[in-house]
Amino acid sequence: MPQPQPLSFLSDPVRVVNKTDLFQRFAKMGSLFRSAEMTLCQLFLQSEAAYACVSELGELGLVQFRDLNPDVNVFQRKFVNEVRRCDEMERKLRYLEKEIKKDGIPMLDTGENPEAPQPREMIDLEATFEKLENELREVNQNAEALKRNFLELTELKQILRKTQVFFDEHEGGTNPTESMTRALISEDSIARQSGSVQLGFPEKNYDPEDYYPCFVAGVILRERIPAFERMLWRACRGNVFLRQAEIETPLEDPSTGDQVYKSVFIIFFQGDQLKTRVKKICEGFRATLYPCPEAPADRREMAMGVMTRIEDLNTVLGQTQDHRHRVLVAAAKNIKNWFVKVRKIKAIYHTLNLFNLDVTQKCLIAECWVPVLDLENIQLALRRGTERSGSSVPPILNRMDTSEDPPTYNHTNKFTTAFQALYDSYGIASYREMNPTPYTIITFPFLFAVMFGDFGHGLIMAIFGAWMVLKEKPLAAKKSDNEIWNIFFGGRYIILLMGIFSMYTGLIYNDVFSKSLNIFGSSWKVSNLNTSYVEGLGQSEHMLNPATDDYSESPYVFGLDPVWQLAKNKIIFLNSFKMKLSIIIGILHMLFGVAISYIKNMHFNNRLNIICEFIPQVIFLCFLFLYMVLMMFIKWFMYYANRIDTDEEFIYGTRCAPSILLLFIGMILNKDPVYEDRCQTGYLYAGQGIIQKLLLICALLCVPWMLLAKPLMIRRARKQAELRNVNHNQLHSATENGDAEQPIHNNTSQTAVAQQGGGEHDDEPMSEIYIHQGIHTIEYVLGSISHTASYLRLWALSLAHAQLSEVLWQMVLSKGLKVEGWAGGVVLYLIFAAWGTLTISILVLMEGLSAFLHTLRLHWVEFCSKFYSGSGYAFQPFSFEIILESAGQVKEE
């Protein structure tokens, strides 16, 4: 392992951080365009100061530790016992939290972030949690026992009350039990069972057989009554008599706390054999049997005793619940802070398990990735940790040389975080690679707005985004577990910008809920546009023709002329306008991506990629597709619809204006365009045919340039390096050992290739380099065509959104405007509600989501494929903030 290079931070006097704040801020702003510079450091900590130093680094959140014990089992590491203690404390806290939520007690969240407790405070926390858990479990057990006893007494009270009704139904005043049983049992069994029976209160271990001479009474779940009755009838062959009555109020199950509905039943039977069979059936259906005295006086006496015991139990239960509530209220005040403390302790010991022990067992050794700009802040945090622990030996932080690729770390804030997440989900940028996030802040909402362009819908979206931004702190404090809401809130700045840009493009399109704004009047002067036509609001029969005198040559001030909203050929005009606009935007966007690849290669001093990839890519894209864009502008400036009078003007009229698509296809196929004799030419300018052939030849030459130049240059550099290596070995052998050969290992070959920018292919065989370059060339050439066509989605979705908005207006809202009188107000109120609901749900939400996904694809595929490799891995610092946030999300799930 290479020797570490010591830093002199600890030996230097404490620096004034304020002097470097401005420089660090500008440097961190620069890291938004490119990931921050990282370095691998080695950290030496004294055992007594390690806990406090790691705690300070966790609060700072700028250090990513490496595991120096990858082959050691997690159960064999030094601090595994402390981690287990933290797990046990966390289990107890989760139990307390569950009980607090069960009682609906609010948990106090002051927003404080307590520091990690010292190791000696763990004993006090463990004792506190143990005491609370034991006390709460004891209270719960007592309450459950009391509730079970209360349930039994309540069921017995219902039995005594309901069976009294059964007994009172017998006429004649004779003994009701005797009258009911005579139909079922013989006289000798009556005589045998007519002896005295000891009835009383249900004791803890009473035997129901002592209480039931010829009948049993009990309680069963209401839904089991039909099956219970059928089973009794079939098992006893109809020799039983069952009466049942429902208990109106639900009863609480002491085990689960659920409210259940039960019914009281009484069964008369014949003899001991049926008695045994009936009791087994009751046991199988989980029916609870209770004693029921036969004499009315005994029942009244038992009922009075039951009522007395129920009142006593209510008093005891109330006191138990009050005590439980006081315990939980006291715990609810601190449980949030307790969770934070325990999780911080656990995270610290998890991190300490990544360290190594030196031979003296008194020093911990760690390796970590840190941003170079934050080295001073890390040193200050280590000093604070050393002072807190009372250690006299300062920590040592050394920078190390390594060939390993560092992690990628981009400084973000609450505004740029959402945009950065878009590319991180696609692929983490390679170390020091160009970060497309700052450019996406503008291009993403703009391309979205091109597809979504409607001032009214954009206003709704902008208001929603502005509300989330203005109410950011209170909304973030609520910590909702609704996943859809969290996605919206996390992208609040994206939604705000998309709404603002959509309002701008809506003004360009002059489209507000499928209607136009007539702010600056109109440049059209249509003679037959009478008053009734204007009031018709869309019942247009007029075809706008720029070739007539009805159009003044001065263009409209801003955006589209509002008269196009009333034109019959509106779709034809917008179709051509938006299609060409999408091609122009797409070509410029792709060229911008290729330009970023030049900056990327310049940063890495990769001249080989600039010569063999960037230059031919720019030539290919510009000589074909950018040339097509230039032809569009030439056609717009040269040809006018109203030039039809003379032969000279006819040449620059609409009939002689060549089709850009046909010109481009003819350029590729090397064919001359077809034109009328009166037009004299099918080209836009003189010499266009020759220029197009030169451009096509240059573009086609770029294909073998991209395909073969880079592999051939790498091969040549390797051969030259091998030749120099052989000559150097021969010279060294002749000088040192005469004719004896002494091989010398060096990196001459790799150095020669790296100087030309091909260092990333050092260990790659030439066959794979040819294959890789062939795939890259085919992908770029075919991708230039397919990506250009892919930007036509800007045109397609824009037209689809406008047409959906117009159809919704004409099919829904316009119906309410046609009803006159007082009924029109009521109808318009209802129809407007339906129109607003459909507008927000379909045009804003569904169309907005569709445009968002298409915009995301344009950035991921068409834009990033020109320069973005995304083969890095993210910087994952040891941060208490991240750990606590992820723990909260897991708990909510």
Side-chain angles (χ1 to χ4, degrees), residues 704-730:
W705 187 354
M706 288 186 287
L707 180 64
L708 301 174
K710 183 175 180 179
L712 292 177
M713 292 183 69
I714 293 176
R715 183 178 180 182
R716 178 185 176 187
R718 287 185 178 181
K719 286 185 176 181
Q720 292 177 352
E722 290 175 359
L723 182 60
R724 286 194 298 267
N725 191 14
V726 171
N727 293 336
H728 180 75
N729 289 341
Q730 291 177 354

PDB file of all heavy atoms in Angstrom, residues 704-730:
ATOM      1  N   PRO A 704     -16.537   6.568 -41.397  1.00  0.00           N
ATOM      2  CA  PRO A 704     -15.306   5.801 -41.163  1.00  0.00           C
ATOM      3  C   PRO A 704     -14.333   6.502 -40.233  1.00  0.00           C
ATOM      4  O   PRO A 704     -13.530   5.845 -39.564  1.00  0.00           O
ATOM      5  CB  PRO A 704     -14.722   5.647 -42.580  1.00  0.00           C
ATOM      6  CG  PRO A 704     -15.330   6.735 -43.380  1.00  0.00           C
ATOM      7  CD  PRO A 704     -16.693   6.934 -42.824  1.00  0.00           C
ATOM      8  N   TRP A 705     -14.398   7.829 -40.214  1.00  0.00           N
ATOM      9  CA  TRP A 705     -13.559   8.570 -39.267  1.00  0.00           C
ATOM     10  C   TRP A 705     -13.890   8.149 -37.834  1.00  0.00           C
ATOM     11  O   TRP A 705     -12.999   7.827 -37.051  1.00  0.00           O
ATOM     12  CB  TRP A 705     -13.802  10.062 -39.495  1.00  0.00           C
ATOM     13  CG  TRP A 705     -12.902  10.978 -38.711  1.00  0.00           C
ATOM     14  CD1 TRP A 705     -11.990  10.641 -37.759  1.00  0.00           C
ATOM     15  CD2 TRP A 705     -12.858  12.400 -38.824  1.00  0.00           C
ATOM     16  NE1 TRP A 705     -11.375  11.748 -37.266  1.00  0.00           N
ATOM     17  CE2 TRP A 705     -11.884  12.860 -37.900  1.00  0.00           C
ATOM     18  CE3 TRP A 705     -13.543  13.326 -39.595  1.00  0.00           C
ATOM     19  CZ2 TRP A 705     -11.585  14.206 -37.746  1.00  0.00           C
ATOM     20  CZ3 TRP A 705     -13.234  14.665 -39.449  1.00  0.00           C
ATOM     21  CH2 TRP A 705     -12.267  15.102 -38.535  1.00  0.00           C
ATOM     22  N   MET A 706     -15.176   8.164 -37.484  1.00  0.00           N
ATOM     23  CA  MET A 706     -15.571   7.725 -36.139  1.00  0.00           C
ATOM     24  C   MET A 706     -15.318   6.246 -35.915  1.00  0.00           C
ATOM     25  O   MET A 706     -15.022   5.810 -34.798  1.00  0.00           O
ATOM     26  CB  MET A 706     -17.058   8.028 -35.924  1.00  0.00           C
ATOM     27  CG  MET A 706     -17.393   9.490 -35.741  1.00  0.00           C
ATOM     28  SD  MET A 706     -19.144   9.767 -35.328  1.00  0.00           S
ATOM     29  CE  MET A 706     -19.905   9.444 -36.906  1.00  0.00           C
ATOM     30  N   LEU A 707     -15.408   5.450 -36.983  1.00  0.00           N
ATOM     31  CA  LEU A 707     -15.309   4.003 -36.840  1.00  0.00           C
ATOM     32  C   LEU A 707     -13.873   3.519 -36.676  1.00  0.00           C
ATOM     33  O   LEU A 707     -13.601   2.632 -35.852  1.00  0.00           O
ATOM     34  CB  LEU A 707     -15.952   3.335 -38.065  1.00  0.00           C
ATOM     35  CG  LEU A 707     -15.960   1.804 -38.100  1.00  0.00           C
ATOM     36  CD1 LEU A 707     -16.798   1.253 -36.954  1.00  0.00           C
ATOM     37  CD2 LEU A 707     -16.479   1.301 -39.437  1.00  0.00           C
ATOM     38  N   LEU A 708     -12.920   4.096 -37.422  1.00  0.00           N
ATOM     39  CA  LEU A 708     -11.573   3.513 -37.498  1.00  0.00           C
ATOM     40  C   LEU A 708     -10.480   4.380 -36.888  1.00  0.00           C
ATOM     41  O   LEU A 708      -9.421   3.847 -36.509  1.00  0.00           O
ATOM     42  CB  LEU A 708     -11.216   3.234 -38.970  1.00  0.00           C
ATOM     43  CG  LEU A 708     -12.153   2.277 -39.712  1.00  0.00           C
ATOM     44  CD1 LEU A 708     -11.779   2.215 -41.178  1.00  0.00           C
ATOM     45  CD2 LEU A 708     -12.119   0.889 -39.083  1.00  0.00           C
ATOM     46  N   ALA A 709     -10.689   5.669 -36.798  1.00  0.00           N
ATOM     47  CA  ALA A 709      -9.579   6.548 -36.388  1.00  0.00           C
ATOM     48  C   ALA A 709      -9.084   6.232 -34.985  1.00  0.00           C
ATOM     49  O   ALA A 709      -7.877   6.079 -34.759  1.00  0.00           O
ATOM     50  CB  ALA A 709     -10.017   8.012 -36.497  1.00  0.00           C
ATOM     51  N   LYS A 710      -9.996   6.121 -34.061  1.00  0.00           N
ATOM     52  CA  LYS A 710      -9.578   5.903 -32.679  1.00  0.00           C
ATOM     53  C   LYS A 710      -8.898   4.552 -32.478  1.00  0.00           C
ATOM     54  O   LYS A 710      -7.817   4.482 -31.870  1.00  0.00           O
ATOM     55  CB  LYS A 710     -10.794   6.050 -31.754  1.00  0.00           C
ATOM     56  CG  LYS A 710     -10.457   5.916 -30.272  1.00  0.00           C
ATOM     57  CD  LYS A 710     -11.690   6.188 -29.422  1.00  0.00           C
ATOM     58  CE  LYS A 710     -11.362   6.053 -27.949  1.00  0.00           C
ATOM     59  NZ  LYS A 710     -12.557   6.329 -27.102  1.00  0.00           N
ATOM     60  N   PRO A 711      -9.446   3.417 -32.968  1.00  0.00           N
ATOM     61  CA  PRO A 711      -8.732   2.144 -32.803  1.00  0.00           C
ATOM     62  C   PRO A 711      -7.364   2.134 -33.473  1.00  0.00           C
ATOM     63  O   PRO A 711      -6.394   1.586 -32.921  1.00  0.00           O
ATOM     64  CB  PRO A 711      -9.678   1.123 -33.435  1.00  0.00           C
ATOM     65  CG  PRO A 711     -11.026   1.744 -33.381  1.00  0.00           C
ATOM     66  CD  PRO A 711     -10.784   3.204 -33.558  1.00  0.00           C
ATOM     67  N   LEU A 712      -7.250   2.753 -34.673  1.00  0.00           N
ATOM     68  CA  LEU A 712      -5.964   2.771 -35.357  1.00  0.00           C
ATOM     69  C   LEU A 712      -4.937   3.599 -34.607  1.00  0.00           C
ATOM     70  O   LEU A 712      -3.748   3.221 -34.533  1.00  0.00           O
ATOM     71  CB  LEU A 712      -6.142   3.301 -36.783  1.00  0.00           C
ATOM     72  CG  LEU A 712      -6.937   2.394 -37.740  1.00  0.00           C
ATOM     73  CD1 LEU A 712      -7.106   3.071 -39.098  1.00  0.00           C
ATOM     74  CD2 LEU A 712      -6.259   1.034 -37.888  1.00  0.00           C
ATOM     75  N   MET A 713      -5.351   4.722 -34.045  1.00  0.00           N
ATOM     76  CA  MET A 713      -4.407   5.550 -33.290  1.00  0.00           C
ATOM     77  C   MET A 713      -3.970   4.851 -32.006  1.00  0.00           C
ATOM     78  O   MET A 713      -2.806   4.945 -31.602  1.00  0.00           O
ATOM     79  CB  MET A 713      -5.042   6.909 -32.990  1.00  0.00           C
ATOM     80  CG  MET A 713      -5.254   7.776 -34.225  1.00  0.00           C
ATOM     81  SD  MET A 713      -5.936   9.408 -33.842  1.00  0.00           S
ATOM     82  CE  MET A 713      -4.539  10.161 -33.003  1.00  0.00           C
ATOM     83  N   ILE A 714      -4.891   4.159 -31.364  1.00  0.00           N
ATOM     84  CA  ILE A 714      -4.510   3.405 -30.158  1.00  0.00           C
ATOM     85  C   ILE A 714      -3.537   2.287 -30.518  1.00  0.00           C
ATOM     86  O   ILE A 714      -2.535   2.055 -29.827  1.00  0.00           O
ATOM     87  CB  ILE A 714      -5.768   2.850 -29.468  1.00  0.00           C
ATOM     88  CG1 ILE A 714      -6.638   3.985 -28.902  1.00  0.00           C
ATOM     89  CG2 ILE A 714      -5.392   1.884 -28.347  1.00  0.00           C
ATOM     90  CD1 ILE A 714      -7.941   3.525 -28.288  1.00  0.00           C
ATOM     91  N   ARG A 715      -3.818   1.607 -31.622  1.00  0.00           N
ATOM     92  CA  ARG A 715      -2.928   0.516 -32.055  1.00  0.00           C
ATOM     93  C   ARG A 715      -1.542   1.054 -32.397  1.00  0.00           C
ATOM     94  O   ARG A 715      -0.521   0.454 -32.035  1.00  0.00           O
ATOM     95  CB  ARG A 715      -3.549  -0.180 -33.259  1.00  0.00           C
ATOM     96  CG  ARG A 715      -2.759  -1.372 -33.761  1.00  0.00           C
ATOM     97  CD  ARG A 715      -3.485  -2.009 -34.931  1.00  0.00           C
ATOM     98  NE  ARG A 715      -2.743  -3.158 -35.425  1.00  0.00           N
ATOM     99  CZ  ARG A 715      -3.111  -3.894 -36.471  1.00  0.00           C
ATOM    100  NH1 ARG A 715      -4.241  -3.583 -37.108  1.00  0.00           N
ATOM    101  NH2 ARG A 715      -2.387  -4.921 -36.857  1.00  0.00           N
ATOM    102  N   ARG A 716      -1.500   2.175 -33.075  1.00  0.00           N
ATOM    103  CA  ARG A 716      -0.204   2.763 -33.434  1.00  0.00           C
ATOM    104  C   ARG A 716       0.568   3.186 -32.191  1.00  0.00           C
ATOM    105  O   ARG A 716       1.790   2.956 -32.099  1.00  0.00           O
ATOM    106  CB  ARG A 716      -0.449   3.957 -34.351  1.00  0.00           C
ATOM    107  CG  ARG A 716       0.830   4.684 -34.760  1.00  0.00           C
ATOM    108  CD  ARG A 716       0.487   5.920 -35.553  1.00  0.00           C
ATOM    109  NE  ARG A 716       1.690   6.688 -35.875  1.00  0.00           N
ATOM    110  CZ  ARG A 716       1.693   7.890 -36.457  1.00  0.00           C
ATOM    111  NH1 ARG A 716       0.523   8.436 -36.795  1.00  0.00           N
ATOM    112  NH2 ARG A 716       2.814   8.518 -36.714  1.00  0.00           N
ATOM    113  N   ALA A 717      -0.118   3.809 -31.241  1.00  0.00           N
ATOM    114  CA  ALA A 717       0.560   4.239 -30.016  1.00  0.00           C
ATOM    115  C   ALA A 717       1.090   3.046 -29.235  1.00  0.00           C
ATOM    116  O   ALA A 717       2.184   3.115 -28.658  1.00  0.00           O
ATOM    117  CB  ALA A 717      -0.404   5.053 -29.160  1.00  0.00           C
ATOM    118  N   ARG A 718       0.366   1.965 -29.222  1.00  0.00           N
ATOM    119  CA  ARG A 718       0.834   0.781 -28.504  1.00  0.00           C
ATOM    120  C   ARG A 718       2.065   0.181 -29.173  1.00  0.00           C
ATOM    121  O   ARG A 718       3.016  -0.246 -28.499  1.00  0.00           O
ATOM    122  CB  ARG A 718      -0.295  -0.255 -28.425  1.00  0.00           C
ATOM    123  CG  ARG A 718      -1.403   0.105 -27.454  1.00  0.00           C
ATOM    124  CD  ARG A 718      -2.420  -1.011 -27.343  1.00  0.00           C
ATOM    125  NE  ARG A 718      -3.467  -0.679 -26.370  1.00  0.00           N
ATOM    126  CZ  ARG A 718      -4.477  -1.492 -26.058  1.00  0.00           C
ATOM    127  NH1 ARG A 718      -4.587  -2.666 -26.672  1.00  0.00           N
ATOM    128  NH2 ARG A 718      -5.375  -1.126 -25.161  1.00  0.00           N
ATOM    129  N   LYS A 719       2.095   0.135 -30.510  1.00  0.00           N
ATOM    130  CA  LYS A 719       3.253  -0.420 -31.191  1.00  0.00           C
ATOM    131  C   LYS A 719       4.481   0.445 -30.970  1.00  0.00           C
ATOM    132  O   LYS A 719       5.591  -0.069 -30.733  1.00  0.00           O
ATOM    133  CB  LYS A 719       2.958  -0.537 -32.687  1.00  0.00           C
ATOM    134  CG  LYS A 719       2.014  -1.678 -33.036  1.00  0.00           C
ATOM    135  CD  LYS A 719       1.863  -1.829 -34.542  1.00  0.00           C
ATOM    136  CE  LYS A 719       0.994  -3.034 -34.878  1.00  0.00           C
ATOM    137  NZ  LYS A 719       0.842  -3.216 -36.356  1.00  0.00           N
ATOM    138  N   GLN A 720       4.323   1.765 -31.025  1.00  0.00           N
ATOM    139  CA  GLN A 720       5.459   2.644 -30.778  1.00  0.00           C
ATOM    140  C   GLN A 720       5.971   2.502 -29.345  1.00  0.00           C
ATOM    141  O   GLN A 720       7.179   2.491 -29.102  1.00  0.00           O
ATOM    142  CB  GLN A 720       5.061   4.094 -31.055  1.00  0.00           C
ATOM    143  CG  GLN A 720       4.786   4.393 -32.521  1.00  0.00           C
ATOM    144  CD  GLN A 720       4.330   5.816 -32.732  1.00  0.00           C
ATOM    145  OE1 GLN A 720       4.081   6.549 -31.777  1.00  0.00           O
ATOM    146  NE2 GLN A 720       4.213   6.210 -34.017  1.00  0.00           N
ATOM    147  N   ALA A 721       5.053   2.360 -28.397  1.00  0.00           N
ATOM    148  CA  ALA A 721       5.474   2.200 -27.017  1.00  0.00           C
ATOM    149  C   ALA A 721       6.184   0.876 -26.800  1.00  0.00           C
ATOM    150  O   ALA A 721       7.181   0.807 -26.061  1.00  0.00           O
ATOM    151  CB  ALA A 721       4.253   2.299 -26.101  1.00  0.00           C
ATOM    152  N   GLU A 722       5.703  -0.186 -27.451  1.00  0.00           N
ATOM    153  CA  GLU A 722       6.377  -1.480 -27.330  1.00  0.00           C
ATOM    154  C   GLU A 722       7.771  -1.435 -27.947  1.00  0.00           C
ATOM    155  O   GLU A 722       8.725  -2.020 -27.409  1.00  0.00           O
ATOM    156  CB  GLU A 722       5.525  -2.566 -27.992  1.00  0.00           C
ATOM    157  CG  GLU A 722       4.241  -2.889 -27.250  1.00  0.00           C
ATOM    158  CD  GLU A 722       3.379  -3.868 -28.010  1.00  0.00           C
ATOM    159  OE1 GLU A 722       3.795  -4.274 -29.131  1.00  0.00           O
ATOM    160  OE2 GLU A 722       2.286  -4.219 -27.507  1.00  0.00           O
ATOM    161  N   LEU A 723       7.924  -0.743 -29.078  1.00  0.00           N
ATOM    162  CA  LEU A 723       9.227  -0.624 -29.715  1.00  0.00           C
ATOM    163  C   LEU A 723      10.195   0.140 -28.825  1.00  0.00           C
ATOM    164  O   LEU A 723      11.358  -0.266 -28.662  1.00  0.00           O
ATOM    165  CB  LEU A 723       9.073   0.077 -31.075  1.00  0.00           C
ATOM    166  CG  LEU A 723      10.359   0.244 -31.907  1.00  0.00           C
ATOM    167  CD1 LEU A 723      10.959  -1.126 -32.221  1.00  0.00           C
ATOM    168  CD2 LEU A 723      10.068   1.007 -33.186  1.00  0.00           C
ATOM    169  N   ARG A 724       9.730   1.240 -28.226  1.00  0.00           N
ATOM    170  CA  ARG A 724      10.603   1.981 -27.315  1.00  0.00           C
ATOM    171  C   ARG A 724      10.952   1.150 -26.094  1.00  0.00           C
ATOM    172  O   ARG A 724      12.068   1.220 -25.570  1.00  0.00           O
ATOM    173  CB  ARG A 724       9.900   3.278 -26.876  1.00  0.00           C
ATOM    174  CG  ARG A 724       9.860   4.344 -27.960  1.00  0.00           C
ATOM    175  CD  ARG A 724       9.476   5.689 -27.373  1.00  0.00           C
ATOM    176  NE  ARG A 724       8.150   5.653 -26.784  1.00  0.00           N
ATOM    177  CZ  ARG A 724       7.038   5.982 -27.444  1.00  0.00           C
ATOM    178  NH1 ARG A 724       7.123   6.366 -28.719  1.00  0.00           N
ATOM    179  NH2 ARG A 724       5.866   5.942 -26.851  1.00  0.00           N
ATOM    180  N   ASN A 725      10.014   0.339 -25.651  1.00  0.00           N
ATOM    181  CA  ASN A 725      10.263  -0.510 -24.487  1.00  0.00           C
ATOM    182  C   ASN A 725      11.339  -1.555 -24.792  1.00  0.00           C
ATOM    183  O   ASN A 725      12.240  -1.812 -23.994  1.00  0.00           O
ATOM    184  CB  ASN A 725       8.964  -1.178 -24.065  1.00  0.00           C
ATOM    185  CG  ASN A 725       9.063  -1.865 -22.720  1.00  0.00           C
ATOM    186  OD1 ASN A 725      10.014  -1.628 -21.972  1.00  0.00           O
ATOM    187  ND2 ASN A 725       8.100  -2.704 -22.401  1.00  0.00           N
ATOM    188  N   VAL A 726      11.258  -2.153 -25.990  1.00  0.00           N
ATOM    189  CA  VAL A 726      12.267  -3.158 -26.381  1.00  0.00           C
ATOM    190  C   VAL A 726      13.631  -2.515 -26.508  1.00  0.00           C
ATOM    191  O   VAL A 726      14.651  -3.050 -26.036  1.00  0.00           O
ATOM    192  CB  VAL A 726      11.832  -3.837 -27.691  1.00  0.00           C
ATOM    193  CG1 VAL A 726      12.970  -4.710 -28.239  1.00  0.00           C
ATOM    194  CG2 VAL A 726      10.588  -4.675 -27.464  1.00  0.00           C
ATOM    195  N   ASN A 727      13.714  -1.368 -27.165  1.00  0.00           N
ATOM    196  CA  ASN A 727      15.003  -0.686 -27.316  1.00  0.00           C
ATOM    197  C   ASN A 727      15.582  -0.294 -25.965  1.00  0.00           C
ATOM    198  O   ASN A 727      16.792  -0.412 -25.732  1.00  0.00           O
ATOM    199  CB  ASN A 727      14.836   0.563 -28.183  1.00  0.00           C
ATOM    200  CG  ASN A 727      14.474   0.216 -29.617  1.00  0.00           C
ATOM    201  OD1 ASN A 727      14.776  -0.890 -30.090  1.00  0.00           O
ATOM    202  ND2 ASN A 727      13.821   1.139 -30.314  1.00  0.00           N
ATOM    203  N   HIS A 728      14.731   0.141 -25.060  1.00  0.00           N
ATOM    204  CA  HIS A 728      15.212   0.527 -23.734  1.00  0.00           C
ATOM    205  C   HIS A 728      15.742  -0.691 -22.973  1.00  0.00           C
ATOM    206  O   HIS A 728      16.777  -0.614 -22.301  1.00  0.00           O
ATOM    207  CB  HIS A 728      14.071   1.197 -22.961  1.00  0.00           C
ATOM    208  CG  HIS A 728      14.467   1.629 -21.581  1.00  0.00           C
ATOM    209  ND1 HIS A 728      15.260   2.730 -21.347  1.00  0.00           N
ATOM    210  CD2 HIS A 728      14.183   1.085 -20.364  1.00  0.00           C
ATOM    211  CE1 HIS A 728      15.449   2.862 -20.046  1.00  0.00           C
ATOM    212  NE2 HIS A 728      14.793   1.876 -19.424  1.00  0.00           N
ATOM    213  N   ASN A 729      15.059  -1.829 -23.091  1.00  0.00           N
ATOM    214  CA  ASN A 729      15.525  -3.044 -22.407  1.00  0.00           C
ATOM    215  C   ASN A 729      16.850  -3.527 -22.969  1.00  0.00           C
ATOM    216  O   ASN A 729      17.747  -3.955 -22.223  1.00  0.00           O
ATOM    217  CB  ASN A 729      14.465  -4.137 -22.537  1.00  0.00           C
ATOM    218  CG  ASN A 729      13.233  -3.858 -21.698  1.00  0.00           C
ATOM    219  OD1 ASN A 729      13.298  -3.062 -20.767  1.00  0.00           O
ATOM    220  ND2 ASN A 729      12.110  -4.481 -22.035  1.00  0.00           N
ATOM    221  N   GLN A 730      16.994  -3.468 -24.303  1.00  0.00           N
ATOM    222  CA  GLN A 730      18.253  -3.915 -24.905  1.00  0.00           C
ATOM    223  C   GLN A 730      19.405  -3.010 -24.494  1.00  0.00           C
ATOM    224  O   GLN A 730      20.504  -3.485 -24.174  1.00  0.00           O
ATOM    225  CB  GLN A 730      18.102  -3.934 -26.427  1.00  0.00           C
ATOM    226  CG  GLN A 730      17.166  -5.012 -26.950  1.00  0.00           C
ATOM    227  CD  GLN A 730      16.985  -4.951 -28.447  1.00  0.00           C
ATOM    228  OE1 GLN A 730      17.483  -4.021 -29.099  1.00  0.00           O
ATOM    229  NE2 GLN A 730      16.282  -5.941 -28.997  1.00  0.00           N
TER     230      GLN A 730
END
